[in-house]
């Protein structure tokens, strides 16, 4: 069929339907939607982003104000258009955008009315999309007077961009969200943003330090590798070439053992899901975290020490190879990299604790009831006293044990020290033997029980007791933890 025989019919999508379906592009929640807008602010060279979330009687209003270079009226017009940039066009290396959809799909994932007020070289422009009123792609343009009413004071005297979300039906879950839930969402978003942008917040990305405020309070960076802690081990980093000129960088870390941390730091690092769930690869695209704590199916969760986390830095030129999703919350490991990453993981396996799956073997002494049991879990070996051993059990079951019973129990423990097994284990891999429980709360509990009678022994002198504890097993080994607990309780300064 020749070209001349073809007739053409303009066949554009219906505006309201297309924009409404854009509401479900990606899988945004409040934090990832905010993160997508903050990406735009970073690309526009903003130094400060202020986020305001107002509950406003179940009709939330969200505003994001940055001090980037803003947009001229024509740029704003293009920016408001869906798919404003071709995903195939080359992005400047520090551009965090991707499909030309972010601002629209992130906003509409939460609200129905998107207002953008922007100022470039002192000139203000503003436009609105309202999904309830979007007939034939007619976009609202605000007059100077209307801008005046909405503009954030920060845009009065410097360039930047302000985004406003109204009619937040999704955010407010159709008006069913209580103020308490709303506040919880904001706390969650704060935490997520402090991780997603930690490298910008800490100033680690040279010349691009960013401050983010949420309802006036600054967000602190949260580094999932805790690289500033001396006890964090950074293993050798490596660059891998991908495609013609792109390079990805891989940096494995082993987090400090909890005994070297204060309880608050431990809780932060382990997060609500726990350390194990948060081990794995952390993928950064242009320094912005997109994926955390996955092994891409290369390793089973729990196979490596729970303290292993590996940073991968990917440039945006590799987006299509990594299949970065619209909401930038997901990407796929390119097949060409699988093998190399597998090798890297293999070498870490040697360095950190390796898992031996066993339910905890009895110490082989030839007798049936041993005093010591050898437990193997998550690659760590621990020797525990058998609470069911008759002497130990009697001791535990007796309400006020006599001095002689306690002496007998201590002697039983001393005599049956599993020196042989222990020697073998230590010879094979000393780093696997760990007598300190993997839960910091155990030591805190021990401390709380032992402290009052010990304080009595020390004549009520807390200073004296602290000095003693500092030299005393097992508290000395976890001194950071113990000290921060004593301070938190107000027992020491
Ligand atoms: N805060 C902002 N400051 C300056 N320009 C912006 C801002 N937000 C969006 N833009 C402009 O709008 C365009 C479209 O943004 P978006 O829909 O997020 O798509 P993308 O980021 O993939 O280009 C951006 O490319 C940018 O030119
Ligand atoms: Mg964007």
């Amino acid at each position: 069929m020749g070209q001349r025989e073809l007739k053409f019919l303009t066949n554009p999508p219906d505006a309201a339907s297309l924009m409404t379906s854009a509401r479900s592009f990606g899988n945004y929640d409040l934090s990832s939607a905010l993160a997508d807008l903050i990406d735009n602010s970073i690309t526009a060279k903003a130094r400060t982003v202020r986020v305001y979330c107002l509950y406003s009687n179940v009709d939330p209003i969200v505003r994001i104000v940055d001090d980037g270079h803003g947009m001229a009226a024509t740029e704003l017009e293009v920016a408001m258009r869906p798919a404003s940039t071709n995903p195939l066009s080359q992005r400047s290396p520090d551009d965090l955008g991707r499909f030309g959809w972010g601002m629209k799909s992130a906003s509409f994932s939460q609200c129905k009315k998107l207002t953008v007020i922007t100022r470039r070289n002192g000139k203000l422009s503003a436009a609105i999309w309202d999904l309830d009123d979007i007939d034939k792609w007619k976009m609202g343009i605000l007059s100077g007077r209307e801008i005046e009413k909405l503009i954030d004071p920060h845009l009065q005297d410097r360039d930047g961009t302000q985004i406003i979300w109204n009619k937040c039906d999704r955010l407010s879950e159709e008006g069913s969200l209580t103020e308490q839930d709303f506040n919880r969402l904001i706390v969650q978003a704060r935490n997520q943003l402090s991780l997603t942008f930690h490298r910008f917040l800490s100033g680690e990305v040279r010349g691009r330090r960013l401050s983010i405020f949420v309802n006036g309070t600054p967000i602190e960076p949260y580094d999932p590798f805790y690289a500033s802690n001396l006890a964090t081990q950074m293993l050798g980093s490596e660059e891998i070439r991908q495609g013609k000129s792109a390079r990805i960088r891989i940096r494995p870390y082993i987090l400090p053992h909890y005994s070297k941390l204060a309880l608050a730091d431990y809780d932060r690092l382990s997060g609500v899901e726990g350390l194990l769930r948060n081990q794995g690869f952390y993928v950064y695209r242009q320094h912005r975290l997109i994926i955390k704590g996955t092994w891409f199916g290369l390793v089973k969760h729990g196979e490596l020490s729970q303290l292993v986390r590996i940073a991968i830095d990917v440039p945006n030129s590799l987006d299509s190879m990594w299949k970065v999703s619209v909401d930038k919350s997901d990407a796929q490991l390119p097949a060409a990299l699988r093998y190399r990453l597998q090798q890297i993981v293999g070498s870490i396996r040697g360095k950190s604790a390796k898992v031996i799956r066993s339910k905890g073997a009895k110490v082989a002494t030839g007798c049936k009831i041993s005093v010591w049991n050898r437990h193997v879990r998550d690659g760590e070996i621990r020797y525990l006293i058998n609470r069911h051993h008759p002497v130990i059990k009697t001791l535990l079951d007796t309400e006020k044990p006599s001095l002689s019973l306690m002496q007998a129990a201590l002697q039983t423990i001393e005599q049956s020290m599993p020196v042989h097994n222990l020697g073998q284990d230590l010879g094979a891999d000393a780093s696997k033997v760990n007598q300190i429980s993997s839960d910091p709360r155990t030591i805190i509990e021990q401390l709380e029980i032992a402290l009052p009678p010990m304080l009595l022994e020390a004549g009520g002198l807390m200073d004296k007791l602290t000095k003693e504890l500092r030299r005393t097993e097992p508290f000395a080994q976890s001194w950071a933890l113990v000290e921060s607990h004593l301070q938190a309780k107000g027992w020491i300064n």
Side-chain angles (χ1 to χ4, degrees):
M1 191 166 40
Q3 184 78 349
R4 248 175 283 159
E5 289 162 56
L6 267 183
K7 283 195 259 166
F8 290 97
L9 177 75
T10 309
N11 187 11
D14 175 63
S17 328
L18 181 74
M19 287 302 230
T20 303
S21 53
R23 307 197 77 185
S24 308
F25 287 1
N27 194 11
Y28 289 100
D29 56 10
L30 175 63
S31 24
S32 53
L34 288 174
D36 220 339
L37 298 188
I38 295 172
D39 281 348
N40 288 341
S41 301
I42 291 174
T43 306
K45 308 225 163 8
R47 299 274 147 186
T48 310
V49 178
R50 294 169 212 274
V51 180
Y52 303 92
C53 303
L54 204 71
Y55 180 65
S56 182
N57 203 13
V58 218
D59 184 18
I61 302 167
V62 176
R63 296 188 302 124
I64 299 102
V65 187
D66 73 36
D67 59 356
H69 54 51
M71 288 173 265
T74 46
E75 289 169 302
L76 174 62
E77 199 182 309
V78 176
M80 292 296 277
R81 204 178 288 156
S84 50
T85 21
N86 185 336
L88 297 179
S89 61
Q90 197 174 357
R91 296 260 184 180
S92 86
D94 52 6
D95 189 345
L96 288 167
R98 166 91 185 92
F99 290 98
W101 261 112
M103 183 173 80
K104 286 74 71 177
S105 51
S107 302
F108 293 138
S109 74
Q110 307 296 310
C111 74
K112 290 210 279 188
K113 185 172 165 191
L114 162 67
T115 308
V116 181
I117 301 176
T118 183
R119 174 182 153 141
R120 174 152 214 172
N121 298 330
K123 254 193 112 229
L124 285 161
S125 342
I128 293 190
W129 282 130
D130 183 340
L131 296 187
D132 288 330
D133 182 16
I134 195 177
D135 188 34
K136 303 220 164 52
W137 294 113
K138 282 205 203 93
M139 182 174 78
I141 301 289
L142 294 188
S143 69
R145 272 234 330 263
E146 288 165 313
I147 293 177
E148 232 13 77
K149 274 191 256 164
L150 296 174
I151 194 167
D152 185 275
H154 292 96
L155 282 194
Q156 296 281 14
D157 45 33
R158 61 184 307 169
D159 286 354
T161 300
Q162 173 186 7
I163 308 241
I164 309 172
W165 296 344
N166 295 108
K167 301 189 183 175
C168 294
D169 59 337
R170 293 267 176 101
L171 175 59
S172 74
E173 297 174 6
E174 311 289 350
S176 66
L177 202 69
T178 66
E179 186 155 16
Q180 210 175 22
D181 291 332
F182 182 77
N183 291 335
R184 261 187 225 122
L185 273 183
I186 291 166
V187 170
Q188 220 175 47
R190 286 186 68 90
N191 290 339
Q192 197 53 49
L193 295 174
S194 77
L195 173 63
T196 304
F197 295 107
H198 75 91
R199 289 189 183 170
F200 295 93
L201 292 166
S202 68
E204 176 179 340
V205 188
R206 223 193 307 158
R208 300 184 66 195
R209 182 190 283 276
L210 177 75
S211 307
I212 305 176
F213 294 83
V214 175
N215 290 341
T217 316
I219 293 189
E220 297 297 327
Y222 165 58
D223 171 9
F225 307 103
Y226 207 179
S228 64
N229 191 297
L230 290 176
T232 294
Q233 293 178 54
M234 186 175 126
L235 307 179
S237 83
E238 169 164 352
E239 277 193 351
I240 300 178
R241 245 197 187 173
Q242 230 194 330
K244 275 189 210 95
S245 56
R247 281 162 196 282
I248 71 163
R249 179 193 273 279
I250 296 169
R251 251 174 292 184
Y253 294 83
I254 300 183
L255 299 186
H257 187 259
Y258 82 80
S259 57
K260 307 234 163 40
L261 298 175
L263 193 56
D265 291 329
Y266 171 86
D267 280 343
R268 243 189 140 202
L269 280 176
S270 54
V272 278
E273 308 97 343
L275 277 175
L276 196 61
R277 275 287 141 217
N278 280 317
Q279 64 164 203
F281 294 114
Y282 284 68
V283 182
Y284 292 81
R285 172 179 180 267
Q286 310 298 139
H287 298 296
R288 184 261 216 227
L289 182 68
I290 53 175
I291 304 177
K292 65 157 199 169
T294 172
W295 284 118
F296 292 119
L298 291 177
V299 187
K300 280 198 212 99
H301 265 280
E303 191 179 337
L304 286 176
S305 152
Q306 55 185 358
L307 300 175
V308 177
R309 296 183 181 184
I310 304 175
I312 304 187
D313 271 284
V314 182
N316 61 4
S317 56
L318 292 178
D319 277 349
S320 59
M321 211 183 275
W322 279 75
K323 301 200 179 73
V324 175
S325 62
V326 178
D327 57 7
K328 297 182 205 127
S329 68
D330 199 15
Q332 281 171 34
L333 183 63
L337 267 180
R338 280 195 95 78
Y339 179 64
R340 187 65 202 117
L341 285 188
Q342 230 152 13
Q343 284 178 320
I344 291 175
V345 167
S347 71
I348 297 169
R349 201 175 264 142
K351 289 187 187 111
S352 80
K354 191 176 161 189
V355 165
I356 304 160
R357 289 202 173 279
S358 149
K359 290 221 172 72
K362 290 256 154 58
V363 175
T365 52
C367 52
K368 290 228 165 65
I369 305 171
S370 55
V371 178
W372 289 89
N373 284 345
R374 175 180 180 272
H375 288 260
V376 184
R377 228 184 103 199
D378 293 346
E380 295 197 334
I381 301 167
R382 287 177 72 202
Y383 285 85
L384 300 179
I385 291 174
N386 178 10
R387 268 59 170 177
H388 301 293
H389 182 281
V391 179
I392 308 296
K393 191 169 182 320
T394 311
L395 176 72
L396 293 176
D397 290 348
T398 309
E399 210 184 304
K400 285 198 178 124
S402 65
L403 198 58
S404 51
L405 175 57
M406 287 194 281
Q407 290 281 12
L410 290 177
Q411 273 166 8
T412 309
I413 293 168
E414 285 163 357
Q415 283 157 9
S416 51
M417 271 274 290
V419 282
H420 183 70
N421 292 69
L422 199 51
Q424 274 187 342
D425 282 338
L426 290 174
D429 183 356
S431 72
K432 279 190 204 152
V433 182
N434 199 342
Q435 281 303 101
I436 304 179
S437 144
S438 61
D439 186 352
R441 278 172 190 79
T442 337
I443 223 161
I444 296 294
E445 267 168 39
Q446 244 167 299
L447 181 69
E448 292 200 337
I449 293 170
L451 199 83
M454 282 168 76
L455 190 57
L456 221 58
E457 279 276 303
L461 302 170
M462 196 60 206
D463 269 357
K464 186 176 162 207
L465 180 58
T466 313
K467 268 196 207 118
E468 199 177 29
L469 285 175
R470 212 188 169 124
R471 292 184 283 118
T472 306
E473 280 184 323
F475 308 108
Q477 283 101 314
S478 303
W479 188 246
L481 177 73
V482 170
E483 190 178 35
S484 78
H485 184 72
L486 293 176
Q487 280 163 348
K489 287 276 180 183
W491 290 332
I492 58 170
N493 300 323

